[in-house]
Amino acid sequence: MEQTELVFIPFPIIGHLASALEIAKLITKRDPRFSITIFIMKFPFGSTDGMDTDSDSIRFVTLPPVEVSSETTPSGHFYSEFLKVHIPLVRDAVHELTRSNSVRLSGFVIDMFCTHMIDVADEFGVPSYLFFSSGAAVLGFLLHVQFLHDYEGLDINEFKDSDAELDVPTLVNSVPGKVFPAWMFDKVSGGAEMLLYHTRRFREVKGILVNTFIELESHAIQSLSGSTVPEVYPVGPILNTRMGSGGGQQDASTIMSWLDDQPPSSVIFLCFGSMGSFGADQIKEIAYGLEHSGHRFLWSLRQSPQKGKMEFSSGYENIEEVLPEGFLHRTARIGKVIGWAPQIAVLAHSAVGGFVSHCGWNSLLESIWYGVPVATWSMYAEQQINAFQMVKDLGLAIEIKIDYNKDSDYVVSAHEIENGLRNLMNINSEVRKKRKEMKKISRKVKIDGGSSHFSLGRFIEDMMDSKVI
């Protein structure tokens, strides 16, 4: 049987890679006519190792390494240059892929940060689809700001560190400037330029797969439908079923064994993502907030990379050095401080009753899937808007901070943290009730008759109807 081939080009960080693999699995499981090749690019920092699948319909092609300075090139410019130098490598890899007569290239599915590759798809005469790994509200926010910037002369810098608000169609409440992604104000390192470039190119694709579901973001999805935006397919929640990277089975076993000994819904899990780390003053405030709250806790504490290095956070050699004196001893019966955490497994554990999160979209979807209430502590990227949406628009989270930025000098006080933790663990809170209901809904949308199941089917039909080579 002639295979209909899709090429996936994910951004090479684990959250994006894992989501791309999971959507690839959904497509090939749903329709056996599809085979998918996922191209793996490699940054000179971090790791993309461990990406594998038992599906015969999915394969990985690791592209040759490229030379782009990771120490002296600013982030926005670095990422753009990194993508550009991969264009000829992707072109050659697709040529190799299509040499077989049994392969019919149907299209490219491109990450939200890999829109340079639309040009390669055009060369092969096939449509591009975007995989947007954040939510529909953020997609609409980016498109709206880009439109206002390009056609109505919006000066984004007017919103920097400001309470000034912007009406955005995909969000119910007006959005204050202080929760705009920091990269929008980054003219020196090229972050603002990069965001605007990619967002303009979102409009060129044939359709946009979004990792969300209608029942979660009904307002945002309705706002996008019927607009000038390409067709939107809400196909989530797409969860990372891999245990994770950066740790090992032995670490996971120790952590899960500790959780097994804790009462149901009693533990607060604190985890801030692959780039989530804090300065010494903030670490101490978190420690005091935890200790004074009296709640059990599991804290994934990570170390910042060296200044000027483009790396992810890592574990501490000696964790006692950064914690208040005697903290580990005083909290030994109720708490555990770790480095890397098997996040999915932890959230799935019955002992976990609350999650202090950086509000990365994957983490928020995972918390919804397992029905764990979230306290927001946004750090970087689009996380401030995610937190704002969860707290203000949807009532699905407790606020610790929605406008925190990891690059600022602001320190959240132990008192603020303690109050947030107490609210998080309130068993009668509206947030906890809403979470319980949304957990049930999130399970239904992906099965036959569910909204995301239908949306994925619509995407496959549209893909098969496309003129292909």
Side-chain angles (χ1 to χ4, degrees):
M1 181 176 72
E2 185 183 57
Q3 286 294 105
T4 299
E5 183 75 25
L6 277 177
V7 167
F8 271 50
I9 307 175
F11 195 63
I13 59 175
I14 198 64
H16 289 240
L17 287 163
S19 295
L21 174 56
E22 295 305 319
I23 185 67
K25 287 180 186 176
L26 282 176
I27 292 169
T28 54
K29 187 176 179 182
R30 182 75 171 270
D31 194 325
R33 292 173 296 177
F34 280 99
S35 60
I36 293 176
T37 299
I38 302 176
F39 289 156
I40 305 292
M41 300 177 281
K42 289 206 168 188
F43 281 139
F45 54 89
S47 172
T48 56
D49 296 338
M51 295 297 295
D52 54 45
T53 177
D54 54 6
S55 171
D56 294 332
S57 301
I58 300 172
R59 68 172 182 142
F60 300 95
V61 172
T62 300
L63 300 173
V66 296
E67 288 292 326
V68 181
S69 171
S70 63
E71 290 195 42
T72 59
T73 310
S75 59
H77 295 140
F78 166 77
Y79 292 131
S80 294
E81 188 62 29
F82 178 83
L83 266 298
K84 286 177 186 174
V85 298
H86 275 91
I87 289 174
L89 300 179
V90 169
R91 184 186 295 120
D92 291 347
V94 176
H95 269 302
E96 187 65 29
L97 187 66
T98 55
R99 285 172 63 182
S100 168
N101 291 329
S102 64
V103 172
R104 182 178 68 162
L105 185 62
S106 180
F108 282 31
V109 177
I110 293 168
D111 188 278
M112 57 195 283
F113 292 127
C114 297
T115 62
H116 296 80
M117 301 304 167
I118 293 172
D119 297 332
V120 183
D122 289 346
E123 289 176 30
F124 284 91
V126 296
S128 297
Y129 292 84
L130 188 78
F131 178 56
F132 194 79
S133 53
S134 292
V138 170
L139 171 62
F141 172 84
L142 293 175
L143 288 164
H144 187 61
V145 169
Q146 174 262 319
F147 176 84
L148 294 178
H149 174 274
D150 289 358
Y151 298 104
E152 297 191 10
L154 175 71
D155 182 2
I156 298 171
N157 282 313
E158 291 180 7
F159 291 89
K160 187 173 183 180
D161 301 323
S162 170
D163 289 324
E165 296 181 340
L166 182 69
D167 289 332
V168 177
T170 52
L171 285 137
V172 176
N173 292 282
S174 298
V175 184
K178 60 188 178 183
V179 303
F180 282 25
W183 272 10
M184 285 196 152
F185 309 112
D186 175 19
K187 292 190 174 180
V188 176
S189 302
E193 179 187 332
M194 182 187 76
L195 266 184
L196 288 166
Y197 170 84
H198 288 306
T199 307
R200 289 183 193 110
R201 303 215 67 182
F202 292 175
R203 300 178 185 276
E204 299 176 31
V205 299
K206 189 173 175 65
I208 304 176
L209 294 155
V210 185
N211 189 7
T212 190
F213 52 104
I214 292 170
E215 292 81 351
L216 176 65
E217 291 194 279
S218 57
H219 174 84
I221 292 164
Q222 287 169 11
S223 298
L224 290 168
S225 64
S227 65
T228 57
V229 177
E231 185 78 20
V232 170
Y233 304 93
V235 293
I238 296 162
L239 306 181
N240 174 11
T241 56
R242 296 171 68 253
M243 190 173 70
S245 62
Q249 191 62 44
Q250 189 173 357
D251 294 335
S253 179
T254 304
I255 293 163
M256 301 315 290
S257 178
W258 182 83
L259 285 172
D260 288 342
D261 293 334
Q262 310 308 313
S265 300
S266 65
V267 176
I268 298 172
F269 176 43
L270 299 90
C271 192
F272 300 94
S274 58
M275 295 174 68
S277 55
F278 297 99
D281 290 343
Q282 186 63 77
I283 289 171
K284 287 180 171 58
E285 292 299 309
I286 294 172
Y288 290 132
L290 282 168
E291 187 174 356
H292 296 157
S293 79
H295 287 290
R296 297 170 189 269
F297 65 87
L298 178 67
W299 180 9
S300 174
L301 179 56
R302 309 282 281 169
Q303 182 174 212
S304 303
Q306 291 179 24
K307 194 153 188 170
K309 289 266 189 178
M310 295 183 73
E311 296 174 346
F312 297 118
S313 57
S314 58
Y316 283 96
E317 290 289 328
N318 182 0
I319 216 156
E320 286 190 62
E321 291 180 354
V322 295
L323 292 167
E325 187 175 350
F327 172 78
L328 291 177
H329 175 73
R330 293 192 301 274
T331 60
R333 295 183 61 185
I334 62 166
K336 187 173 181 63
V337 183
I338 58 175
W340 167 84
Q343 181 167 292
I344 284 268
V346 170
L347 290 173
H349 199 285
S350 60
V352 175
F355 180 26
V356 180
S357 173
H358 64 309
C359 298
W361 191 248
N362 286 343
S363 294
L364 290 174
L365 290 180
E366 289 161 11
S367 69
I368 287 169
W369 184 262
Y370 292 107
V372 180
V374 162
T376 62
W377 193 324
S378 51
M379 302 282 289
Y380 51 89
E382 89 295 4
Q383 293 161 12
Q384 287 84 359
I385 292 187
N386 292 341
F388 175 83
Q389 179 193 20
M390 285 289 147
V391 173
K392 304 295 186 184
D393 277 16
L394 304 179
L396 282 169
I398 299 292
E399 179 180 356
I400 290 180
K401 291 299 288 184
I402 59 173
D403 57 352
Y404 182 87
N405 187 304
K406 72 181 182 69
D407 295 324
S408 74
D409 295 327
Y410 183 83
V411 175
V412 184
S413 72
H415 179 68
E416 289 177 88
I417 296 164
E418 180 187 349
N419 283 344
L421 298 179
R422 290 187 188 282
N423 290 334
L424 176 64
M425 297 305 279
N426 178 358
I427 60 170
N428 296 315
S429 72
E430 280 300 310
V431 166
R432 194 167 290 270
K433 292 172 188 173
K434 284 187 176 182
R435 281 268 163 173
K436 193 173 180 181
E437 188 59 33
M438 195 56 73
K439 173 185 175 179
K440 294 176 186 174
I441 294 170
S442 73
R443 305 290 177 118
K444 291 177 181 176
V445 297
K446 294 177 73 173
I447 61 176
D448 196 0
S451 62
S452 293
H453 186 273
F454 175 79
S455 192
L456 181 65
R458 194 161 50 86
F459 165 74
I460 290 171
E461 286 176 18
D462 292 349
M463 174 70 72
M464 295 304 290
D465 288 343
S466 299
K467 290 182 179 179
V468 294
I469 61 173

